[in-house]
Amino acid sequence: MSSMLDVVSPIVYYPEESERGAAMQEQPELVVSVRARRQALGLTQQQLAERAGISRQTLVAIEAGRLTPSVTVALRLARALDCTVDDLFALAEPPLLEAQLALGEQWSLPVPSRVHLARVGETLVAWPVRDETGEAEGLIRERTGDRVKVEPLVDPATLDRSLVLAGCDPALAMLAAHLRRWHRDLRVVWVPIGSRAALHALAHGWVHVAGTHLWDPEAGEFNLPEVQRQLAGRPVAVITLSRWVEGLGLAPENPKQIRSVDDLARPDVTLVNREPGSGSRLLLDTALQAAGLDPAALTGYERELPGHRPVAEAIANGLADVGPLAFPVARAYGLSFLPLLEERYDLVVPVELLDWPPIRDLFELLASRPVRRELEANGYASAESGKLVARIA
């Protein structure tokens, strides 16, 4: 027969736990069902404590939610109550956060959907994660128009330490990686969208920085006319990221022998296009107009992909023969390339953010020799990187 000492000896391990209760309150909040299960079985606290080999004081603290039990104690309680640990302890559902779904009219999203979450000014903004490998900060649980309720996947306090860059240039992903190394506690989000959409997002306060490469043939100028139209009345600075050559990406070694824009009208040539509002789409449409070609007569003109990389992937995988994109991306995918225009890619940032350390460091990075060398290695011209083009009031 077991002695009383045998019954209570395991308690030796647990008095310290009740003393550590305050420290353990930093753990995720638990929903504790021990009391309900015990009462359903008609057990007193003393009876359950003896069955589980713990002190009654420890059990009282666990049932009251003041103490998070160790794995061993949780298993003993589950065995004593003839159930699983999950029946006794569950993580409380995190409160949902209300956020603005940026460019909400563009997205047809299932629920749940993965999103980036960041605070821009006073607004908590949700951006759909468009890369399967991208890290998400939240899951959409409810949607009403362009307002969403999001389950956070990170500590909500970290969402205030965010920088959101929008634009189609893949170099923004490289800059985001550099900034994360400089600011370990900063959450940097790159949103790969076209130039007009990026400026629209900046005008609505959904991003901190917008990238653009929009040529205005009437003004004979890059970016500034469109910036003035979309951000009228808001003081902004326009700073050059780099120059690149925009043109037509072609299948490796150009098997269809595409030599000019005129060749896009051939029946054996299949095009893939960018979305309206992107700089690449604008350049293609301008080139087609100059060549006297009807876009509706081109095979694949209506097939739109959201970004340089998707266009390059479609061509590299044989799904199209040609598509508008920038030389650095064509180069990265091993494509042949037909140049059309050298463009200036600029970053637009509100003047009031210029002294914010992450923004200041972003432009210091652009002026640094290592980043310029990295840009040049990827096919960009970096002589103007970090140069202030204009301040627009």
Side-chain angles (χ1 to χ4, degrees):
M1 179 179 296
S2 298
S3 66
M4 187 61 182
L5 181 62
D6 293 329
V7 173
V8 300
S9 57
I11 299 174
V12 174
Y13 296 99
Y14 306 115
E16 303 96 322
E17 288 188 84
S18 57
E19 294 168 6
R20 295 199 306 267
M24 301 189 73
Q25 288 180 8
E26 297 180 2
Q27 300 284 339
E29 185 179 349
L30 286 177
V31 176
V32 181
S33 303
V34 175
R35 179 184 287 114
R37 181 75 180 180
R38 171 180 62 77
Q39 292 175 342
L41 294 178
L43 296 174
T44 66
Q45 288 180 327
Q46 185 62 43
Q47 288 171 329
L48 176 56
E50 290 178 357
R51 286 190 183 188
I54 61 177
S55 70
R56 182 176 177 276
Q57 291 84 352
T58 297
L59 178 60
V60 169
I62 291 172
E63 287 190 350
R66 298 193 304 270
L67 171 64
T68 301
S70 67
V71 173
T72 302
V73 171
L75 289 170
R76 289 184 176 186
L77 286 170
R79 183 171 61 187
L81 292 169
D82 192 26
C83 63
T84 68
V85 171
D86 287 346
D87 293 328
L88 302 180
F89 305 100
L91 287 176
E93 291 293 327
L96 298 181
L97 304 177
E98 290 199 19
Q100 167 73 44
L101 181 61
L103 301 177
E105 69 280 359
Q106 294 190 14
W107 315 118
S108 176
L109 300 172
V111 176
S113 284
R114 302 166 65 240
V115 289
H116 292 300
L117 276 180
R119 193 169 298 283
V120 183
E122 298 298 318
T123 305
L124 185 62
V125 183
W127 284 96
V129 176
R130 302 170 74 186
D131 176 2
E132 298 81 5
T133 62
E135 177 187 1
E137 288 79 40
L139 296 174
I140 293 178
R141 292 300 185 186
E142 300 177 27
R143 177 179 180 181
T144 305
D146 60 0
R147 299 294 298 177
V148 290
K149 292 186 177 181
V150 182
E151 175 190 341
L153 299 178
V154 299
D155 180 358
T158 68
L159 302 177
D160 293 336
R161 302 190 295 274
S162 301
L163 172 65
V164 186
L165 310 170
C168 63
D169 187 355
L172 291 173
M174 180 264 288
L175 290 174
H178 280 286
L179 274 175
R180 292 187 193 101
R181 289 195 288 269
W182 280 31
H183 294 269
R184 295 290 184 178
D185 63 341
L186 182 68
R187 191 175 298 278
V188 185
V189 177
W190 170 44
V191 181
I193 55 177
S195 296
R196 282 205 175 101
L199 292 174
H200 179 74
L202 184 64
H204 283 75
W206 300 333
V207 300
H208 296 98
V209 180
T212 174
H213 64 114
L214 293 169
W215 169 249
D216 189 313
E218 293 183 4
E221 176 62 273
F222 286 104
N223 303 321
L224 299 184
E226 188 67 23
V227 170
Q228 290 171 325
R229 280 191 289 268
Q230 291 218 38
L231 294 160
R234 185 170 188 185
V236 295
V238 181
I239 295 143
T240 296
L241 191 159
S242 68
R243 283 186 176 266
W244 64 9
V245 177
E246 184 87 13
L248 298 176
L250 310 170
E253 300 185 8
N254 193 14
K256 295 290 181 73
Q257 297 298 300
I258 298 170
R259 303 298 184 193
S260 70
V261 172
D262 293 328
D263 290 327
L264 302 186
R266 287 166 28 196
D268 64 325
V269 172
T270 300
L271 175 70
V272 65
N273 210 346
R274 284 289 307 281
E275 76 280 12
S278 66
S280 301
R281 173 67 167 262
L282 177 63
L283 178 62
L284 175 63
D285 288 346
T286 301
L288 293 176
Q289 184 178 14
L293 296 180
D294 178 8
L298 306 184
T299 303
Y301 178 86
E302 73 288 349
R303 297 172 58 202
E304 299 169 359
L305 294 177
H308 293 272
R309 286 176 172 171
V311 169
E313 288 171 0
I315 298 169
N317 291 324
L319 302 177
D321 303 309
V322 59
L325 75 165
F327 172 69
V329 184
R331 182 178 183 272
Y333 281 83
L335 304 181
S336 294
F337 188 74
L338 177 64
L340 296 178
L341 180 67
E342 184 184 70
E343 296 183 330
R344 192 182 73 230
Y345 195 99
D346 291 332
L347 301 179
V348 185
V349 59
V351 168
E352 69 268 17
L353 295 181
L354 289 177
D355 289 330
W356 184 33
I359 294 292
R360 191 171 60 239
D361 291 343
L362 171 66
F363 296 123
E364 285 185 14
L365 278 168
L366 278 177
S368 69
R369 186 183 298 272
V371 168
R372 287 189 173 194
R373 283 203 300 261
E374 191 169 351
L375 286 169
E376 290 165 2
N378 288 333
Y380 297 85
S382 67
E384 299 173 54
S385 296
K387 177 183 175 181
L388 176 66
V389 176
R391 278 182 179 242
I392 301 175

